[in-house]
Structures are given as structure tokens and as C-alpha cells.
Amino acid sequence: MPLARRLLVLFAVCALALTAACGGSDDEPGTIILATTTSTYDSGLLDELVPRFEERTGVTVKVIAVGTGAALRMAGEGNADVVLVHAPEAEAPYVASGDLVGGRLVMTNDFVVVGPPDDPAAAASAPDLPAALTAIAAGGRFVSRGDDSGTHKRELALWATAGIDPAGLSREETGQGMGATLTIASERRAYTLTDRATYLALRDVLDLAVVVEGDARLLNVYHAYLVNPDRHDGVAAKQAEAFVAFLLEPATQGLIGRFRVEEFGRSLFTPAVESPVGGG
């Protein structure tokens, strides 16, 4: 087992006092490491789902919320048991290499471009997404996560689609998660790309409004994968499989679809069974 993984597991087990000797027997439910994007954490969704799984199974879930790129690297190094990520093109090489197996669509939501409520670049009045980005490039400031996350990868792809080199923009990279990046964009009176769930969860403390939404290129797809135990020693395969199965259960899918609907008047995530890209 890689040293980094041993340290993560040891910390989780000791901190939660699962055993007196920081070890485990075959009779104990065990611990899994879930490497996931910050949007599932910042939105509060994992706070809704993980305790239910832990209560039912006795398995402890150690959540490592990082950008998708970092979560995939953890998987490739054998330092996680399961990942929940949202960058299909970045996921593909790990599937091809055999580091990730059993991929399943869990849910979708969408990205939105947010900016100052007075929209100084007039992005909201642009006829389409590339035109809106062109307007921001010409007349606005932009704050990027710059952290190799799924959101950062999508941002770069959208600039490319619009024929814009982000190196030439008034653009700041935070190197931080979505919540921190939204806060900085609000403080800077700048635009940024965000998943809708995190924006809605933090909207009341931000001076930002949605200026671009609804384009098909803004669809945000979340997959869960198992880290392949045949390639990486120490993977808690049975527990990880149980977690992915839990995410796909009808009751859990229903919880995902209802998550914070009463608060925001709309679903923050669309469960796989209702997703426009199918439930495979």
C-alpha cells in the first residue's frame, strides 16, 4: 500500500476511534476514502448522503474534497477507494489504464457564468455562450479556479470554443475550490464559471448574479468509479462497491433529486434516472 494512502487511512481510523489499536479485523465494517470534487462538498450534498450510508453499513467514509484532477491522481496512485468526479474527458485515461473501473452516472447539474449584478461586460445580453465569453474578455475581469478541477477544465475548453486565449485576459487564478473562488470573484467584481449547486448554496453571501446559463455545453456530469483493487493494493473493494450501489439506489437518487429543493425552489442536482444523458 502506498505510504500516502497508509497515512490517510491511519488518520481516519485513529481520529474516529474505530479501533483501539488503529487496526482492523475482517469482522469490522472498515473505512473507505472518497476522493471527490469540491462541489459535492460545498453544496452540502455529501453531508446529506454520507451519514445515511455510514449509519446503514457501519462503514466510515473519509471524504477528501479536491478538484477532479487531484481526485483522479489520488485514484491513479491507489490513494482512494472510490471517486466521484465531473470531468469525463479527464476520467477517460484512468478508465483506459484500468485504474478506475465500474463507472456509473450518478447525477448531473449545470455550470453557469456568474458576475457582478450590473453586468459591466453586458454578457447577459450576448446571443450565445461564445459571444458572452467574448464580451467578458473585452470588458470584464474573470476569476478562475486554476486548480485542474473539472470546473477549471471546462472553463479552458469554453475559452477554446470561443477562440479566446485566456493568457491574454484580465484573469486571476485562485488555485482554490469553488466556494473560495466565488468569494474572490464577488470581492473583485469579476466573472467566474461555477456549478450551479455551489453558487446557490452560497448565493446569499455573494454579490454575484447568473449572467449565462442554459447552453448545452454547460451540462455538468458526475460519475462514480471504483479504484481497481487488481491494480492497487489495499483498496477496500467491497465497501467501495457498496457505496456506489448506495448512490444508485432509488431512495438515494430520490434524495439527490430533492436536495434543498424547498430552499431554492429547484433541484441542485438531477439524479441519473432523470438525467438528459441517461442513467447508464
Side-chain angles (χ1 to χ4, degrees), residues 81-179:
D81 301 291
V82 59
V83 298
L84 179 59
V85 288
H86 67 137
E89 291 183 358
E91 296 155 24
Y94 290 87
V95 174
S97 69
D99 289 302
L100 295 178
V101 295
R104 297 296 302 273
L105 175 69
V106 175
M107 59 194 180
T108 62
N109 68 359
D110 63 338
F111 292 106
V112 293
V113 179
V114 297
D118 60 348
D119 189 18
S125 60
D128 55 28
L129 176 58
L133 294 175
T134 298
I136 292 170
R141 302 177 65 186
F142 193 92
V143 172
S144 167
R145 285 181 58 166
D147 63 349
D148 197 33
S149 62
T151 305
H152 180 216
K153 293 175 186 295
R154 182 65 61 90
E155 177 216 331
L156 295 177
L158 292 175
W159 288 126
T161 298
I164 297 168
D165 181 0
L169 304 179
S170 176
R171 178 175 171 274
E172 174 184 353
E173 293 191 347
T174 69
Q176 299 187 60
M178 197 68 257

